[in-house]
Amino acid sequence: MSDSTTRSATDTAAPSTNRDLKKGSLAALRGLLPFLQPYRGRFLMAGIALVVAAGATLAIPYAFKQMIDLGFGAHAGLHSAERVNEVFVALFAVAVVLALATAARFYTVSWLGERVTADIRSAVYGHVVQQSPAFFETTQTGEVLSRITTDTTLIQAVVGTSISMALRNILLFAGGLVMLCITSPRLTAIIIGLLILTILPIVMFGRRVRKLSRDSQDRVADASAIASEILNAMPTVQAFTHEDIESKRFGATVENAFATAMRRIRARALLTMLAIVLVFGTIVFVLWLGAHAVLQGTMSGGDLGQFILYASIVAGAIGALSEVMGEAQRAAGATERLLELMAVQSEIRAPAQALALPPRAANGAALTLANVTFAYPSRPDSAALAHLNLDIRPGETVAIVGPSGAGKTTLFQLFLRFYDPQQGTIRLDGVDIRQLALHDLRGAVGIVPQDTVIFSADAMENIRYGRADATDEEVMRAARLAAAHEFIERLPNGYKSFLGERGVRLSGGQRQRIAIARALLKNPPLLLLDEATSALDAESERLVQAALEVAMQGRTTVIIAHRLATVQRADRIIVMEDGRIVETGTHRSLVALGGVYANLAALQFHNVHVEHSHE
């Protein structure tokens, strides 16, 4: 196997198999930095609001201390009522500041969560659509969709909520700890020592939660992949009466995802219970010591009240941080999965310094293959094409025939540079296609596939897919040339008629004429026709054939066809077998040769004769 084949298989490996990153590690969240950096100003605003809100929260216990000691303590006097009023006014002012800062923080971080998530979704989708077909040979679309939707939603929760909550509670924890030390150093030293002992088991148990979070996300992706596959093949599923079987298969996958999710939920519940019991048990014990200190007169009632409130803030901060840590671990798993997807690189890349195609000739493009050998990345030991040499002149119509598996469709995929050959070169108008920008190469090639893709849009937009900037008049002109105008006009809303998902409202011949109209609108110098009439009835074939005759004028045309009516019109016929060219000539010369083509022709003539005899 060549180095390029090895690299190809590696670069486009399914992301689900590239699991060598630190699984669920919070370090994976560093991958979000490129998406966060453009919004540094917003993060600064959120940070300011966060500090103000945390400061206001930490001021509340001190206000209570003043109220207790000055208003109700041993030193309270004639002016205690005034002091209490002042404290309550100050307390209300702190509450107003807290409310404003919290609202500002919530709005800012929520905006950041939505904005960053939208950017990530766009970036991942934009990266995926740039991948070569080799990527989609090994990756299910449902898996990709799960990552773009479910995983980005988890990231949204972290960016829009969890980061803010984590920073807020870190500030409250640090500030509360400082105030505890000021209030009672002895009790604070005891509480810190006990909290360290309680945090260790929480951290150890958190690792299991992290692993289960990643497993849960993977099982959801599996269910999405199966659902996507089956929904895209419903006619086949129903034709073979597999509805119940597929429902059970999907149900089993959903149950597997549910079981995995329940293991994660149980672990999270135990982690939360463990954190609450250990942390609050520690605090209750320390407060018991404080209560005895007040009884002994070594501590004031206000100091104890302040200590209780600050201890509650610290405990609440630790509990919230453990909850945020669980969310962050889930988001780390999601980020890891998205980074896997973003790390996949297509082996089909435009050169750094692309060459330009020469000015277009009036009669089409020249196409040359020199010693081309190719094997698909998923089947590297089986050559689809072997040492192929072919020279197609501008304006020539060349038909490629041969049995299934001969390599005909593979040629088209190489012409469009969906793959690169392991050996040899393909030149368009004398330029190696690997030296062309992909947009320029594919812009010079039009294709009418055997299975036409119709998008969920109206007829006008489906034809305009051939050239996005075409006017309505240009679209209708292409439709007329493709013999599609009449049937489109008969649709309920004409060119604005919705054609249904995958064109279910159109016949096979109508879909083919839409594809021909697209190719005509694109107006490429090189036209590829992939068995464009193979599945049509006689009337549809006649209409499509007439449209193809128009489409082939003034351009080079390469046709994959089995029907001799199409083949016989070609200037030259190339006969392929096992990835090699075995015969070349016209219909008459190849029949006279008595080789592979003659056998194919005789078989087809025999089938035609049998069909007529039964009519």
Side-chain angles (χ1 to χ4, degrees), residues 121 124-125 128 144-152 338 341:
R121 282 182 177 143
V124 172
Y125 186 79
V128 168
V144 175
L145 292 174
S146 172
R147 297 190 185 204
I148 291 175
T149 54
T150 307
D151 290 351
T152 50
L338 288 168
L341 205 54

Side-chain angles (χ1 to χ4, degrees), residues 24 26 29 32 151 153-159 161-163 165-166 206 209-210 213 217 264 268 271-272 319-335:
L26 293 181
L29 291 175
L32 297 177
D151 290 351
T153 300
L154 291 174
I155 291 172
Q156 178 184 352
V158 167
V159 176
T161 305
S162 299
I163 290 178
M165 292 293 292
V209 175
R210 185 170 61 221
S213 295
Q217 289 159 237
R264 172 182 60 80
R268 281 284 300 279
L271 177 61
T272 303
L321 283 171
S322 68
E323 185 72 19
V324 168
M325 184 64 70
E327 292 296 326
Q329 286 166 347
R330 291 188 70 196
T335 302

